[in-house]
Amino acid sequence: TSYAGAQIFEAIGLGEEVIDRSFKGTTSRIGGVNLEDVASETVMMRPEVANAKMKLINYGYYKPVPRLGEYHANSSDLAKLLHNAIGLDKKVNQLNRDESENDGVNPPNAADYEIFKKSLETAPVSNMRDLLDFESDRPSIPVTDVEPASEIMKRFCTGAMSLGALSREAHETLAIAVNRVGGKSNSGEGGEDTIRGFDISDVDDKGRSSSFPHLAGLKNGDSANSYVHQVASGRFGVTPEFLVTAKQVEIKMAQGAKPGEGGQLPGPKVSEYIAGLRASKPGVTLISPPPHHDIYSIEDLAQLIHDLHAVNEKAGVSVKLVSSIGIGTVACGVAKANADVIQISGGDGGTGASPLSSIKHAGCPWELGLSEAHSALLTNGLRDRVTIRVDGGIRTGRDIAIAAMMGAEEYGFGTIAMIAEGCVMARVCHLNTCPVGVTSQKEELRKKFPGTPEHVVNFFHFVAEELRNIMAHLGYDKFEDLIGRADLLTPSESQLGRISKTKGVDLNPFFSGIPESKDNRNFLRSNEDHDSLKGDIIHRNSFSSDLDRELSGHSDVKKVIEENEGSTTVNFDIENTDRSTCAMLVGDIARAHGNNGFNGSINVNFAGSAGQSFGAFVLPGLNVRLEGEANDYVGKGMHGGEIVVVPDKDAGFIASESSIVGNACLYGATGGDFHANGRTGERFAVRNSGAFAVTEGTGDHCCEYMTGGVVVSLGNVGRNVGAGMTGGIGYFYDPDDQFTERLNIEIVKSQRLVSNEGEAQLKTMIERHFQKTGSEKAEA
């Protein structure tokens, strides 16, 4: 399997005796079973094997087996209990909803929620938090004195589940529900329809909207726009409009259940609608690169944070990290890189899109990662710079209370939120055959979707009220007073003694490292303004965006954008400390006119040496020319328009033999025209899905994971060309007949240019390259 035996992760629940004997050097922070326990469990299984005449017994390790199998926290039984509580009838759907009163939404039932909650409290021990209990330092208070549920729900978020993994109905219903309670929904990686950027205003008296005819239970003023828009390594759906309509942008560095892996959407789930959003082809499996493809180091992550702050100054930037040993050090780096939010994703998060080996062997409980990250940030004086969000298997108010005491300020619901809108835990998400249309793109199955925003809101209300009761019991009237108060947690002796496996667990070292914060609560306020909550303050780029601000504030440029017509040309000198240049201007255009509605023309000429991410997110109507050279990430996320890079006229080198731009240029481009009179670095046009580019040669890994667009290289290339490429075309000049051995032939094929259409396209692109750059190679 991918991970078993690799000894690159830590052990959970193995005691010192087992570690020293069999896993020398592996981290095991909470202890656990000894060799005698392992032997006892092995012997315990033998009679069953004998009775089965040596046949292997299915204990439900991967899929629940009723009565006999291993306990699964999320199951069809749990779904039924929650559906009863929130008033959801899975038999009511788009096909028959008009016949039902109140769209088939039954009144919520608090007694049924208590049954749901009790089923989790009495279930077998399955999480670290199951071994914890509360120990207050003050007497209880009346629940009427506790802050209202409406304030608590503002801290609720949904997990990053993409449109594609979920159906339109499920994805939009979750967004509307979370927006209603003032929380933060998350788009996941895959983009969103631009119509969702506008509030819904055409709802009739039956709760239906012609803009969203597939949804029910709507209200005028509802918004289906996700609060958080995610930018992952695949860049699927990442366009200028997607970025500027976000209130927060999340960088997905890792997914809880599969750290180090990219996302994957099976081909059958890539419908025409999903392919349109992701700039790909229907039916073709979409694979996101592992995160290191554009983020090699903390500096590269800091640059992406800088880019996103530039294109949308009003949106905070969050970074999603996975719970694992060492996350504290990484979290400190992320805070210093000017992130506004750090998300800790536990090993139970993202299981619906992960390989089985990853689900079982990768990722750690969020309790470990959260406590380490909070402690490291607090100890290093960085905690007041960032908000911490946590997700991964959170289901109840009790879970949230524990997460708060360990340092989290916001809380994400993933699978349980899907259950709240109708998921029945059929566990066929990847097969496109979800019987209730939650995770299917098939039209006939989507019509069976039973959920409405009201169902999800009912669930959130129950969780918030449960949390209020816990606060009243502990004697706290303000929720924020629980945050970081690990001293209110204690190991539960009754839970530790329930089964032999947990008797060797020692949670004391786990708590001892969390700094005391009972008296000093300054970390809850912004370091920039101690009278404001951190969520109200967004970090801004400093001098590295001064040139961008000057460009965006130019009167001629502003006039063309405001009037949406005309043309202007402006000239600037540029230095390598000027980063993400043009991103702010792109943001201004996209806010005013969307991705493709700008009818004016802005021509910007630069001279000098550009810093990183020059020309990031350039869109139609914006033409950028640089005479000099540029660093990494030129044209990152380019959506349209034109970028031309040529050497200084006094340069003393041969352009075709010299690098003129750095690595990872055109990463995630979705359109536009790019010309470089010189060589590009490594990973050129990775995840390109629509840009047309001509260069004089490239480094290694050109056209990796490309799904569309055209790349022309007039010089030699490095190794591993076309790895993971599922679309688009590359034309490569190969005078030395070495290209074939540098091509990754796993899923692409190569041939000599034979078609008239291909010849015409190549000729047109080379002629245009000569016109734009004066390239000697193109002229030849």
Side-chain angles (χ1 to χ4, degrees):
T1 63
S2 306
Y3 300 104
Q7 212 172 5
I8 56 174
F9 292 106
E10 63 180 292
I12 309 293
L14 293 183
E16 187 177 351
E17 181 185 15
V18 179
I19 294 293
D20 290 344
R21 169 81 176 179
S22 306
F23 303 102
K24 194 76 173 177
T26 299
T27 300
S28 181
R29 287 188 271 181
I30 61 171
V33 298
N34 57 29
L35 291 172
E36 184 179 344
D37 296 326
V38 175
S40 298
E41 186 166 288
T42 305
V43 170
M44 183 177 66
M45 295 178 182
R46 291 191 62 184
E48 297 178 27
V49 174
N51 293 338
K53 297 181 179 178
M54 300 308 293
K55 289 183 180 179
L56 292 174
I57 294 175
N58 179 9
Y59 287 102
Y61 190 54
Y62 295 113
K63 244 184 172 180
V65 176
R67 295 180 300 280
L68 174 68
E70 181 177 75
Y71 169 72
H72 287 248
N74 292 324
S75 65
S76 57
D77 291 337
L78 184 84
K80 290 175 186 174
L81 294 175
L82 184 57
H83 292 166
N84 291 338
I86 62 177
L88 187 145
D89 183 350
K90 67 179 182 182
K91 295 178 182 177
V92 177
N93 53 49
Q94 193 174 337
L95 300 172
N96 58 19
R97 194 181 295 279
D98 288 337
E99 306 163 10
S100 306
E101 186 179 349
N102 192 32
D103 278 331
V105 181
N106 298 321
N109 190 313
D112 283 330
Y113 182 78
E114 286 299 316
I115 297 173
F116 161 78
K117 189 177 69 169
K118 198 70 175 176
S119 73
L120 290 169
E121 290 173 354
T122 59
V125 176
S126 57
N127 299 291
M128 277 186 59
R129 56 190 176 276
D130 295 340
L131 303 175
L132 298 172
D133 207 346
F134 303 118
E135 187 176 58
S136 186
D137 59 351
R138 61 186 68 175
S140 299
I141 59 174
V143 71
T144 52
D145 292 347
V146 178
E147 72 175 287
S150 57
E151 289 300 310
I152 292 173
M153 288 191 293
K154 292 177 181 179
R155 298 178 180 273
F156 291 177
C157 313
T158 50
M161 298 174 286
S162 70
L163 177 54
L166 302 189
S167 64
R168 281 191 73 178
E169 290 79 359
H171 200 266
E172 292 167 2
T173 294
L174 278 181
I176 291 169
V178 183
N179 288 335
R180 276 189 190 175
V181 303
K184 298 177 176 66
S185 55
N186 194 311
S187 69
E189 62 164 319
E192 287 188 347
D193 199 321
T194 54
I195 193 174
R196 292 173 63 173
F198 304 94
D199 288 350
I200 303 172
S201 58
D202 58 351
V203 180
D204 60 24
D205 55 1
K206 290 185 178 180
R208 304 293 191 276
S209 161
S210 58
S211 303
F212 296 86
H214 46 284
L215 300 182
L218 300 177
K219 300 176 182 177
N220 279 315
D222 275 340
S223 172
N225 184 35
S226 293
Y227 187 102
V228 182
H229 288 186
Q230 191 180 76
V231 174
S233 58
R235 298 296 197 271
F236 292 115
V238 177
T239 64
E241 189 169 356
F242 178 74
L243 294 174
V244 299
T245 53
K247 295 181 178 67
Q248 189 177 108
V249 185
E250 178 178 88
I251 300 170
K252 178 182 174 183
M253 277 298 296
Q255 190 165 304
K258 53 174 184 177
E261 297 179 66
Q264 182 170 345
L265 188 65
K269 298 185 74 169
V270 185
S271 63
E272 282 195 29
Y273 178 72
I274 299 302
L277 292 175
R278 299 188 178 210
S280 58
K281 295 179 177 61
V284 177
T285 296
L286 299 178
I287 306 169
S288 293
H292 70 263
H293 278 67
D294 71 320
I295 298 174
Y296 301 91
S297 65
I298 197 70
E299 288 84 4
D300 293 325
L301 175 60
Q303 180 56 44
L304 182 52
I305 293 171
H306 187 281
D307 300 334
L308 300 177
H309 273 143
V311 74
N312 188 351
E313 281 198 294
K314 295 181 180 179
V317 176
S318 59
V319 177
K320 184 176 183 179
L321 304 176
V322 72
S323 176
S324 62
I325 188 76
I327 190 175
T329 303
V330 178
C332 289
V334 172
K336 292 177 181 178
N338 258 5
D340 301 279
V341 179
I342 294 176
Q343 168 141 347
I344 311 296
S345 189
D348 291 331
T351 52
S354 302
L356 287 175
S357 59
S358 300
I359 291 173
K360 295 301 177 183
H361 298 295
C364 293
W366 55 255
E367 295 93 323
L368 292 174
L370 171 59
S371 56
E372 182 183 340
H374 171 68
S375 300
L377 290 166
L378 204 55
T379 302
N380 287 281
L382 298 167
R383 188 64 181 83
D384 57 358
R385 293 177 59 89
V386 291
T387 297
I388 292 184
R389 181 184 300 145
V390 67
D391 74 351
I394 290 177
R395 299 175 185 87
T396 64
R398 182 180 186 276
D399 291 342
I400 291 176
I402 292 173
M405 293 171 186
M406 291 182 178
E409 294 147 289
E410 296 179 348
Y411 317 91
F413 298 90
T415 304
I416 198 69
M418 292 167 56
I419 293 175
E421 61 177 351
C423 169
V424 293
M425 289 307 298
R427 298 176 187 268
V428 290
C429 307
H430 59 299
L431 299 178
N432 203 30
T433 56
C434 175
V436 289
V438 173
T439 61
S440 176
Q441 303 304 326
K442 291 182 178 178
E443 197 74 34
E444 65 273 18
L445 293 176
R446 287 170 50 202
K447 289 181 179 179
K448 296 182 180 181
F449 178 73
T452 69
E454 188 175 345
H455 289 126
V456 182
V457 171
N458 288 343
F459 167 67
F460 287 149
H461 269 290
F462 278 134
V463 173
E465 288 298 336
E466 178 194 349
L467 195 49
R468 291 183 71 234
N469 279 286
I470 292 173
M471 292 168 60
H473 174 70
L474 296 174
Y476 285 80
D477 60 346
K478 293 180 65 178
F479 181 77
E480 72 170 32
D481 291 340
L482 295 181
I483 297 171
R485 293 293 307 282
D487 57 296
L488 300 178
L489 292 171
T490 184
S492 171
E493 296 303 325
S494 60
Q495 288 287 80
L496 286 166
R498 276 180 66 182
I499 55 176
S500 61
K501 274 189 172 183
T502 57
K503 288 179 180 178
V505 172
D506 181 9
L507 295 177
N508 288 316
F510 173 65
F511 290 108
S512 61
I514 301 180
E516 173 67 52
S517 60
K518 178 180 179 179
D519 299 320
N520 186 351
R521 311 294 289 165
N522 289 337
F523 72 90
L524 294 170
R525 299 290 182 265
S526 168
N527 68 314
E528 297 179 20
D529 180 0
H530 285 292
D531 293 327
S532 300
L533 293 172
K534 283 176 288 187
D536 299 331
I537 303 294
I538 294 171
H539 297 311
R540 297 179 80 247
N541 295 336
S542 58
F543 67 90
S544 52
S545 285
D546 284 350
L547 176 61
D548 221 4
R549 292 188 181 97
E550 184 180 352
L551 170 58
S552 300
H554 195 287
S555 57
D556 293 345
V557 170
K558 292 172 70 174
K559 183 173 184 291
V560 173
I561 296 174
E562 289 169 3
E563 297 178 356
N564 199 21
E565 63 179 10
S567 176
T568 187
T569 299
V570 292
N571 303 290
F572 294 93
D573 291 331
I574 192 169
E575 299 177 350
N576 61 10
T577 52
D578 297 316
R579 298 189 287 147
S580 312
T581 303
C582 294
M584 285 185 175
L585 176 58
V586 168
D588 291 343
I589 297 171
R591 269 184 291 275
H593 308 294
N595 284 330
N596 301 299
F598 181 48
N599 298 319
S601 177
I602 298 175
N603 306 299
V604 189
N605 299 318
F606 293 95
S609 181
Q612 293 179 320
S613 297
F614 175 77
F617 313 117
V618 163
L619 77 180
L622 179 56
N623 306 308
V624 182
R625 182 181 180 88
L626 170 64
E627 185 176 315
E629 59 188 1
N631 214 306
D632 297 341
Y633 312 118
V634 175
K636 177 188 289 186
M638 184 181 186
H639 185 66
E642 179 182 281
I643 297 177
V644 177
V645 185
V646 298
D648 184 285
K649 62 173 76 69
D650 297 325
F653 54 79
I654 300 173
S656 61
E657 296 177 0
S658 305
S659 294
I660 195 168
V661 294
N663 296 324
C665 297
L666 289 190
Y667 192 103
T670 55
D673 197 9
F674 176 88
H675 297 273
N677 187 14
R679 295 181 59 83
T680 68
E682 295 184 0
R683 302 195 191 281
F684 180 70
V686 172
R687 272 296 298 118
N688 175 29
S689 59
F692 284 62
V694 185
T695 177
E696 312 277 306
T698 78
D700 296 343
H701 315 296
C702 179
C703 299
E704 247 188 326
Y705 296 97
M706 189 164 142
T707 61
V710 180
V711 169
V712 176
S713 176
L714 302 179
N716 60 12
V717 294
R719 61 185 178 85
N720 200 36
V721 177
M725 181 179 176
T726 57
I729 299 173
Y731 296 103
F732 297 91
Y733 181 51
D734 186 27
D736 302 326
D737 201 28
Q738 294 181 339
F739 178 75
T740 303
E741 63 189 50
R742 294 173 180 172
L743 179 68
N744 186 317
I745 59 174
E746 188 174 348
I747 57 174
V748 300
K749 63 179 181 180
S750 64
Q751 63 180 45
R752 293 293 178 182
L753 190 56
V754 293
S755 69
N756 292 331
E757 293 84 354
E759 287 185 3
Q761 182 181 55
L762 179 59
K763 185 172 185 292
T764 299
M765 290 184 69
I766 293 177
E767 287 176 345
R768 181 170 173 79
H769 185 62
F770 173 68
Q771 293 169 3
K772 293 292 180 181
T773 68
S775 164
E776 294 180 2
K777 267 205 168 182
E779 184 180 25

